[in-house]
Amino acid sequence: MASQGKKLINDPNDVVTEYIEGLVATYPGLQYLDGFPQIKVVLQANVSPSTFDKVAVISGGGAGHEPAHAGYVGPGMLTAAVSGDIFASPPVDSILAAIRAVTGSKGCVLIVTNYTGDRLNFGLAVEQAKSEGYIIEMVIVGDDCALLLRRGIVGRRGLAGTVLVNKVAGAAAAAGLPVTEVAAEAKHAAELVGTMGVALSVCTLPGQPTSGRLGTDKMELGLGIHGEAGAAVVDLQPVDLVVSHVLNQILVNEAAYVPITGGSNVVLMINGLGATPLMELMIAARKAVRELQGVHGLAVDRVYTGSFMTSLDMAGFSITVIKSEQAILDRLDAPTKAPCWPVGTKASVGVRPPMKVPVPLNPSSSRNSEIVSRPPVLTKYGFILEAAIEAAAKEVVSMKDCLNEWDTKVGDGDCGTTMERGATAVIEDTKNRYPLNDAAETLYEMSTTIRSVMGGTSGILYAIICQAAYTILKGHSEPTPREWANALAASIDAVSKYGGAHAGYRTMLDALIPASNTLNEMLDAGDNPVTAFVASAEAAMIGADSTKNMRAQAGRSSYITPDLLVSVPDPGAMAAASWYKAAALSVASNLKPYNWAALPFVYSCN
């Protein structure tokens, strides 16, 4: 039985906000937005959009990788950093808050690691910010060299090379370059960098049991920074052999991830993953420099050794190599006051500014002043809608442990926890906030609830589902069955457009697409809408169950060896099918009697 991981923390739910408070208390050049716990943004002290005359550079992602990214906020590097919960992408509202807090007339460049949730959340924030008049460029960093074959649509993961790209972008912005040139330099740096990691242990999330996946005599090559499985598990080897293997994978494998050949100059970064002593990192650095020079014929211009992008308490390290053109070196050598950059200077002395500043509001939003509340009296339609929402959300809550169990085998183990967080918030807001007599507006408010509390890829995908459905149903307070079917189809199209998944990719769409097809076919045939809804729920469950036989082509499961996925359904698909089923049965029970015992909907984790 796995033991509880030991942590020097208080409440596991408060670790990220308390970390930010400690960081800002330690470094006087930093502030944070007063929006805890939903908004977790660290920014340079006293930066105002009205007076800031440089391009703002913003990065971020899930917490657990400290000092990335908040530790790199400071003049000459990042203007602001946005944090999500542990290993969960920051929500759109947090990213927008960061943009509004620091972006002036020169615009903003976002540096984003190549994970689905980060791309989606930052992408939606970019579109919203552009509609508000901001000049925005976004650069995706995918420097992982561990996986020879690209996995589906996801591509290479963003790893410690992102820190170097952040430095290049920050120095370019500090030099006064316009936004397009800052973005171009960052993109060019991202094309020159490669990284691969090695782990001796799997990280332990706060409040979660310690994983025993790696024994005392094993190590994992290419392990992801969220604990997802790597390329191979092998016997523990001397570090010199490990360093040689990693450098060969970065520099000479057939994928040709980085344009570095003999005679080139490079910069080397040895990055601890959280629980590796500096002594061991220096031993790895010693071998890496010798290997680069003696075996690969490269000149090593700079060496950075330390913990720059971690994975909580994971034991291990990653090696990053970037081709050091003179322009790259100039940016890396440029001065910065970012506290955790390896050659950063101390924070300037003087009067300390306030530790926190107000979260800026969207000045163009007409909804800021609106009061949304539950109607004092529900119509029959509103009553049925409320019952369906509550049934769906309660079903998700009841599946928490089951979803987590599946996700531990095929992902990062938090699907059930994330879904429960969103469902619990929806249940609470249903009691007093949603305008239930207007289905379209209720969907809009549900999108707001979900994106503010769920986080991660699931949160943004469900926010997109609700927002796309709202767009179709807007102005229809009591949509017809056909309008609901159209809204479901539009939601599926939006998830596919922004997430890149399609049928057969082992995602939630493998539940929703069969449901949509069945619903439309039966409505076209003139069947009773309630019967069609219930039948489409059965199709969703069958589709979700079929993911056991699919190879993942999206999400973190795509990094896992296919034989580990066999017999385990996709947690996201099972969650979608289950809440859809619960909603269908609720609607049916409120409109006509039904023989529920005849429906094959029962599913077990075991």
Side-chain angles (χ1 to χ4, degrees), residues 28-322:
L30 304 179
Q31 296 174 302
Y32 65 87
L33 294 180
D34 187 15
F36 289 166
Q38 287 82 12
I39 293 176
K40 297 180 276 288
V41 175
V42 175
L43 60 157
Q44 291 183 29
N46 296 325
V47 168
S48 170
S50 62
T51 58
F52 193 55
D53 62 352
K54 307 287 185 183
V55 172
V57 179
I58 300 174
S59 190
H65 308 302
E66 292 71 30
H69 293 276
Y72 302 120
V73 173
M77 204 163 176
L78 298 181
T79 320
V82 193
S83 178
D85 293 322
I86 298 292
F87 295 167
S89 303
V92 174
D93 289 345
S94 292
I95 301 166
L96 285 170
I99 292 171
R100 294 167 185 154
V102 299
T103 304
S105 61
K106 301 297 184 180
C108 172
V109 173
L110 300 180
I111 310 296
V112 182
T113 51
N114 188 33
Y115 291 97
T116 303
D118 290 337
R119 292 202 316 269
L120 290 168
N121 281 280
F122 278 88
L124 183 55
V126 166
E127 295 303 317
Q128 175 66 30
K130 286 181 177 178
S131 73
E132 296 174 21
Y134 290 98
I135 304 170
I136 306 284
E137 296 282 346
M138 188 167 85
V139 176
I140 305 294
V141 182
D143 55 315
D144 181 22
C145 296
L147 306 176
L148 285 177
L149 299 177
R150 292 177 179 269
R151 302 296 180 94
I153 60 173
V154 293
R156 298 164 63 192
R157 298 173 287 195
L159 301 174
T162 308
V163 177
L164 299 178
V165 177
N166 286 344
K167 182 61 172 67
V168 169
L177 270 61
V179 65
T180 53
E181 293 184 29
V182 173
E185 287 204 18
K187 182 178 180 180
H188 181 60
E191 293 169 348
L192 301 180
V193 66
T195 300
M196 179 174 170
V198 177
L200 306 183
S201 68
V202 179
C203 59
T204 302
L205 276 64
Q208 298 296 317
T210 301
S211 171
R213 192 170 87 216
L214 290 178
T216 57
D217 59 345
K218 298 293 182 181
M219 62 192 305
E220 192 155 4
L221 305 176
L223 189 75
I225 57 173
H226 306 98
E228 63 267 33
V233 175
V234 299
D235 291 334
L236 189 63
Q237 301 290 325
V239 69
D240 281 4
L241 294 179
V242 175
V243 169
S244 295
H245 173 81
V246 170
L247 289 176
N248 282 333
Q249 184 74 6
I250 295 173
L251 297 171
V252 299
N253 72 67
E254 63 263 37
Y257 281 139
V258 291
I260 299 174
T261 56
S264 298
N265 289 49
V266 297
V267 169
L268 170 68
M269 173 181 279
I270 305 295
N271 170 58
L273 295 177
T276 307
L278 186 59
M279 177 183 289
E280 296 178 24
L281 296 179
M282 289 299 179
I283 294 172
R286 154 196 161 276
K287 173 60 177 176
V289 172
R290 294 177 181 178
E291 190 85 356
L292 290 170
Q293 294 172 337
V295 177
H296 298 282
L298 303 173
V300 181
D301 290 331
R302 304 285 186 276
V303 180
Y304 303 125
T305 302
S307 294
F308 306 110
M309 180 179 279
T310 64
S311 183
L312 292 173
D313 59 352
M314 183 182 290
F317 64 86
S318 65
I319 298 178
T320 298
V321 181
I322 185 172

